[in-house]
Each structure stands twice: as structure tokens, then as C-alpha cells.
């Protein structure tokens, strides 16, 4: 049976925590393999050694909407101070780390760089390096396996949805990313990673027999996570990704779209491993909140041959070309440091993909993808915790 980092810490390595004033970067969606909340388990085992909590996007409760800034507060359940890493500060400050000897990171990522837990991890490692705090990362599976897709983020386009030069679908665990960052950026960081036991890097989440707990409000299951590298691109457009429906990121649409026409045109492209069907839906979030939309639901038929990022580009291109008088790329909905960039460009990691789509050649943008991915695989090879051929 696969054992999570949290399980191994408690059963095999409790000495790494005992006697240390410890902060924990996590939320109540993080559980051990028996569905006990990580926060509760750590307090149960280590008691007063656990002194502070730090919450990523969506907060300690995993209940705040995407993009909503969260304030620091006292966690009612545990009674511990809960500092927000998705508000004014995106990484722990020196003041937050006062009276802390050790930071534990236990976050479930979903294998795509847009999902902000990668950026939270980066900020935590940076803060630990700057403030001479030990860091312990409890590893979890990459739920969509070891496949890689998409370009690396280019300089000038870094943001919280793309803070590292990694592929869109990066094929690593957070523990492996932490090891890579220590080696390449934070060489003096006191980092330890508690690796998974018996996990094979090519496994998808539903191959693991582990219970699935959504790590964010719109992470609904394995098909959503598989499609997310491609369909999340629509967050930078005036097309709904189905937030507020039972199938976010599996559903794509807008009031101006003819779902039957879109499904037919998409299926005519005969992308391996996927099929679309037309549907009507009313999202409760996005610019079309409570508005009847038409579009398609994408159904994963064979994930082994599916290339979700390429499919996402093809679908953006199709809607761009079919509805040119309506389709639009959008700017971020906030006034932060990236407000001068189109949100689509921040997701894509450059302006190149958008410009290629505008010229009707979206997929041509990936002509150098294989070379980039080979270079990235070579770069991180020594940081892997789980054999590639396992």
C-alpha cells in the first residue's frame, strides 16, 4: 500500500519534529491515508510543538473562492494562529516566522503549474532560506503521473500561476520540485523531504487506492485534473470553464457558443483519447454567473494517449476562429504587479501562444516543445525520488 509523507513522518521519523517549534503549511483538505486531517494528526502526535498554521490559496478551510485574498486569523478548530499566504503576503514573512524552528509543508498539487501550490512551495522555501528555518516537505503523489507537456515560463511572464520555469504539465511531485529548487536556488537551505513509499511515478491518482479529497473547491476528480493543463487556459478568455457546475474544467462554454456546432467541429479533429458532447449549463461564477451558456463537456476516453495541453490549444483556436466577433482574451481581474499582462499570457508563460492563436497557428507554437521538455527532464533527473521506469 502507498504511504504518504505524513504517514511516514508520524510512524518512522517523529524525531524530526519533536522538540521543535513547528509551523505547518497546509489546509483541512490534507489528510493522512485514513482521512484524518493532517492538522489534527500533527497536533495529536506532537502537541505543543505545533505552534502556527500557514494557509495557501483557498485558505486553511479550503473554502474561499479562487483568487480571493485571505486574511490571517485564528483557526477556530485548532486554536492556532493561521497566517495567510494568499493575501497581502504570498510567502511567510520574518514576523510570521518568529519563534519557529521548523516549517512543515504538506500540500497536494495536481501536476499543473497554474495550480498555485507550486508557487506557495517556492515562497516557503525562499522564506526558510532567508530566515534560516528548517523545512520539511511531506510528499504526495502527482495525481496525473509523470507525463510532461507545454512550454516553460519565460522571463517577464512569471506570476503566481507560473512562478517557476517548469512545463505546464510538469510530471514531478512537490517533494521533487523542492529538491530541485534547493539544488539550483537555495543551496544553503536546510531541507528534508519525506518521500512516498511504494508510489510509482507513472501512476494516476485512481491507481493508488488512496482516498481522494479535493485540494481546492473546483478540483473534482481525476478527469478534471487530467484536462486541467489544457482547459485552464480558458480562464484567460471570455469562455466559462464551468465553475459552479459539477464538472468544472471538463465543461467549456459561453452564451455566444452553439454547443452542437462546437462539439461537431471538435470531434471532427479526431484528437486521440477524448470526445466532446454538446450541453447547456449555468455557471455560478465567472462573467456569465447565472447565465445560460452553451458549450461542450470533454470526456476522457483514453488518458494514455490524450495530450490535454495540445487539446486545450486546439479548442481555444477553434472557438477563436469560429466566433471571432465574440471571443476575447482578458486581463487579470486584480490590480497586482501582473495587471499589465493578459491573464492568458501569464497562464501560457509568454505572449507567444496567444499571438500564434491570433494568427490561426496555435499548435505551431509547440514546435520546440520536445526540445524544451528533454532539457527539463535532464535538468531535474538528479532530483527525482521515484524511478522513471517504475
Amino acid at each position: 500500500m502507498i504511504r504518504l509523507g505524513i504517514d511516514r513522518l508520524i510512524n518512522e521519523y517523529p524525531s524530526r519534529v519533536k522538540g521543535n517549534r513547528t509551523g505547518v503549511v497546509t489546509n483541512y483538505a490534507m489528510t493522512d491515508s485514513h482521512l484524518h486531517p493532517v492538522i489534527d494528526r500533527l497536533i495529536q502526535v506532537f502537541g505543543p510543538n505545533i505552534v502556527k498554521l500557514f494557509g495557501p490559496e483557498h485558505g486553511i478551510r479550503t473554502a474561499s473562492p479562487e483568487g480571493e485574498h485571505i486574511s490571517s486569523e485564528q483557526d477556530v478548530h485548532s486554536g492556532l494562529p493561521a497566517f495567510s499566504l494568499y493575501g497581502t503576503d504570498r510567502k511567510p514573512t520574518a514576523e510570521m516566522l518568529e519563534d519557529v524552528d521548523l516549517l512543515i509543508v504538506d500540500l497536494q498539487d495536481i501536476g499543473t503549474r497554474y495550480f498555485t501550490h507550486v508557487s506557495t512551495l517556492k515562497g516557503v522555501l525562499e522564506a526558510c532560506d532567508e530566515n534560516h528555518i528548517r523545512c520539511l516537505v511531506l510528499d504526495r503523489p502527482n495525481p496525473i503521473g509523470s507525463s510532461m507537456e507545454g512550454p516553460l515560463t519565460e522571463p517577464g511572464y512569471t506570476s503566481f500561476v507560473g512562478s517557476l520555469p517548469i512545463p505546464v504539465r510538469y510530471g514531478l511531485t512537490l517533494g521533487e520540485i523542492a529538491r530541485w529548487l534547493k539544488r539550483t536556488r537555495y543551496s544553503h537551505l536546510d531541507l528534508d523531504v519525506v518521500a512516498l513509499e511504494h508510489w510509482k511515478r507513472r501512476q494516476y491518482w485512481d491507481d493508488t487506492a488512496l482516498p481522494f479529497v479535493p485540494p481546492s473547491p473546483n478540483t473534482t476528480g481525476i478527469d478534471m485534473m487530467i484536462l486541467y493543463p489544457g482547459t485552464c487556459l480558458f480562464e484567460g478568455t471570455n469562455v466559462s470553464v464551468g465553475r459552479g457546475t459539477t464538472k468544472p474544467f471538463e465543461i467549456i462554454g459561453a452564451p455566444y457558443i452553439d454547443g452542437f456546432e462546437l462539439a461537431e467541429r471538435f470531434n471532427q479533429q479526431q484528437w486521440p483519447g477524448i470526445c466532446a458532447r454538446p450541453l447547456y449549463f449555468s455557471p455560478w461564477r465567472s462573467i456569465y454567473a447565472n447565465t445560460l451558456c452553451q458549450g461542450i463537456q470533454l470526456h476522457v476516453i483514453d488518458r494514455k494517449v490524450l495530450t490535454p495541453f495540445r487539446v486545450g490549444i486546439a479548442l481555444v483556436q477553434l472557438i477563436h476562429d469560429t466566433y471571432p466577433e465574440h471571443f476575447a482574451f482578458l486581463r487579470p481581474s486584480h490590480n497586482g504587479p501582473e495587471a499589465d499582462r493578459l491573464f492568458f499570457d501569464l497562464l501560457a508563460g509568454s505572449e507567444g501562444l496567444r499571438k500564434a492563436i491570433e494568427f490561426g497557428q496555435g499548435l505551431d507554437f509547440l514546435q520546440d516543445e520536445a526540445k524544451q521538455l528533454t532539457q527539463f527532464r535532464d535538468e531535474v533527473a538528479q532530483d527525482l525520488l521515484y524511478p522513471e521506469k517504475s
Side-chain angles (χ1 to χ4, degrees):
M1 179 179 177
I2 293 171
R3 292 207 300 162
L4 300 170
I6 178 64
D7 301 317
R8 298 193 67 199
L9 173 69
I10 289 173
N11 293 311
E12 298 176 48
Y13 310 112
S15 62
R16 298 185 186 183
V17 176
K18 288 182 178 178
N20 290 283
R21 298 168 297 181
T22 303
V24 188
V25 183
T26 192
N27 58 39
Y28 279 108
M30 298 299 102
T31 73
D32 65 13
S33 57
H34 299 288
L35 294 175
H36 301 126
V38 163
I39 294 171
D40 288 1
R41 289 291 285 134
L42 291 174
I43 293 173
Q44 179 186 43
V45 174
F46 300 109
N49 290 142
I50 308 301
V51 297
K52 295 179 181 180
L53 304 176
F54 297 83
E57 184 178 7
H58 307 293
I60 287 290
R61 302 185 187 95
T62 328
S64 298
E66 70 285 348
E68 182 175 281
H69 282 210
I70 300 165
S71 299
S72 299
E73 60 183 355
Q74 184 181 42
D75 174 41
V76 175
H77 176 67
S78 68
L80 294 173
F83 294 95
S84 172
L85 302 182
Y86 200 81
T88 303
D89 301 298
R90 295 293 175 95
K91 70 176 188 179
T93 65
E95 290 75 21
M96 293 177 187
L97 294 174
E98 287 180 356
D99 302 320
V100 171
D101 307 310
L102 170 70
L103 266 188
I104 293 176
V105 181
D106 194 347
L107 294 171
Q108 178 64 62
D109 203 63
I110 65 171
T112 303
R113 72 166 185 243
Y114 322 130
F115 200 74
T116 59
H117 286 179
V118 174
S119 295
T120 297
L121 172 69
K122 173 184 175 292
V124 169
L125 297 182
E126 188 174 283
C128 286
D129 184 51
E130 293 170 347
N131 294 278
H132 310 291
I133 304 291
R134 287 177 52 221
C135 186
L136 180 62
V137 176
L138 308 183
D139 215 5
R140 291 178 176 268
N142 183 323
I144 57 175
S146 61
S147 295
M148 294 183 181
E149 274 193 272
L152 279 60
T153 305
E154 295 183 4
Y157 289 87
T158 56
S159 70
F160 215 64
V161 293
S163 61
L164 293 172
I166 58 178
V168 171
R169 182 182 181 183
Y170 51 78
L172 305 172
T173 67
L174 286 190
E176 292 171 328
I177 290 178
R179 284 162 55 90
W180 168 62
L181 287 173
K182 170 181 167 56
R183 180 175 59 81
T184 58
R185 298 191 181 195
Y186 313 122
S187 59
H188 298 293
L189 172 66
D190 188 350
L191 171 72
D192 196 4
V193 177
V194 180
L196 296 154
E197 189 173 57
H198 305 308
W199 182 67
K200 299 178 180 180
R201 65 181 313 106
R202 295 185 182 276
Q203 286 182 306
Y204 286 74
W205 188 272
D206 54 356
D207 295 324
T208 67
L210 291 167
F212 176 72
V213 178
S216 73
N218 283 279
T219 302
T220 52
I222 186 62
D223 283 356
M224 172 269 166
M225 292 187 286
I226 290 170
L227 292 168
Y228 185 74
T231 55
C232 186
L233 289 171
F234 283 100
E235 295 270 70
T237 76
N238 64 344
V239 176
S240 169
V241 296
R243 288 189 183 273
T245 72
T246 58
K247 297 292 183 179
F249 298 100
E250 298 176 49
I251 290 174
I252 299 296
Y256 59 81
I257 288 175
D258 182 327
F260 294 86
E261 175 186 43
L262 183 62
E264 181 179 4
R265 292 192 178 189
F266 177 81
N267 289 332
Q268 285 174 350
Q269 295 183 356
Q270 297 184 322
W271 284 95
I274 195 166
C275 184
R277 70 173 183 89
L279 86 165
Y280 299 89
F281 67 99
S282 295
W284 71 271
R285 291 188 64 79
S286 86
I287 56 176
Y288 304 125
N290 302 313
T291 301
L292 182 64
C293 295
Q294 282 195 61
I296 57 175
Q297 181 178 350
L298 296 170
H299 293 263
V300 177
I301 307 300
D302 185 353
R303 64 194 183 192
K304 293 181 179 179
V305 298
L306 176 61
T307 51
F309 185 66
R310 287 178 175 268
V311 167
I313 292 174
L315 189 51
V316 174
Q317 186 75 70
L318 180 58
I319 296 176
H320 171 277
D321 295 349
T322 306
Y323 305 100
E325 70 279 16
H326 296 292
F327 179 86
F329 295 105
L330 304 178
R331 293 198 174 277
S333 57
H334 55 80
N335 295 318
E338 305 96 16
D340 61 330
R341 301 286 192 186
L342 290 173
F343 192 52
F344 186 91
D345 295 352
L346 297 178
L347 292 167
S350 76
E351 64 180 9
L353 178 56
R354 172 179 53 84
K355 289 188 172 181
I357 290 170
E358 290 173 340
F359 281 101
Q361 301 173 332
L363 290 171
D364 290 347
F365 176 72
L366 297 178
Q367 58 186 347
D368 294 327
E369 179 189 36
K371 180 180 179 181
Q372 287 190 46
L373 294 181
T374 297
Q375 291 174 341
F376 183 74
R377 286 191 183 95
D378 291 343
E379 180 183 339
V380 301
Q382 62 186 295
D383 306 305
L384 302 184
L385 290 164
Y386 317 97
E388 185 65 41
K389 295 182 180 179
S390 65

